[in-house]
């Protein structure tokens, strides 16, 4: 599960992980909240199927958690890997997703946050809104 089709560390990791899982016989897919960017082409080159939710902003999934959970369930009924245990995890659970929800924190989440106090509070609230919904983080 990724926010966008842009390519960064989480996107590179997720695309490679999905490709390796598929090589091992696992039916791995990638779900993009917003499919704009170069990542879909990279996934095509790796022969990793993907689905696009079609929202311009990630928080739009909170408005329609059932639709979000349905798409994720169709792509991965057993488990989903998120790059952050925030509101997406909560939206999945509220929308009825029953598979395992695994959050892998990475990058900026693991270093000292030097952003504004408002941004730090926002990120902390986001993290707490989804942490309850994860099976592993």
């Amino acid at each position: 599960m990724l926010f966008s089709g842009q390519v960064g560390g989480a996107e590179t990791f997720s695309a490679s992980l999905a490709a390796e899982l598929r090589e091992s016989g696992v039916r791995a897919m990638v779900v993009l909240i917003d499919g704009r960017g170069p990542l879909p082409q990279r996934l095509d080159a790796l022969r990793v199927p993907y689905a696009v939710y079609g929202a311009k902003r990630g928080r739009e999934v909170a408005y329609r958690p059932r639709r979000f959970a349905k798409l994720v369930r169709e792509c991965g009924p057993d488990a989903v890997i998120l790059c952050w245990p925030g509101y997406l995890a909560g939206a999945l659970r509220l929308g009825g997703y029953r598979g395992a929800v695994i959050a892998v924190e990475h990058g900026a989440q693991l270093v000292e946050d030097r952003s504004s106090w408002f941004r730090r509070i926002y990120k902390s609230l986001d993290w707490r809104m989804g942490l309850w919904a994860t099976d592993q983080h």
Side-chain angles (χ1 to χ4, degrees), residues 68 82 84-94 101 130-134:
F68 178 55
L82 304 173
W84 173 256
Y87 66 91
L88 291 180
L92 282 170
R93 291 297 188 214
L94 292 173
V101 177
L131 190 60
W132 65 270
T134 62

Side-chain angles (χ1 to χ4, degrees), residues 64-80:
R64 300 182 71 191
R66 284 192 203 136
R67 177 178 170 237
F68 178 55
K70 180 179 185 253
L71 174 64
V72 174
R73 187 172 40 255
E74 289 168 355
C75 295
D78 299 321
V80 61

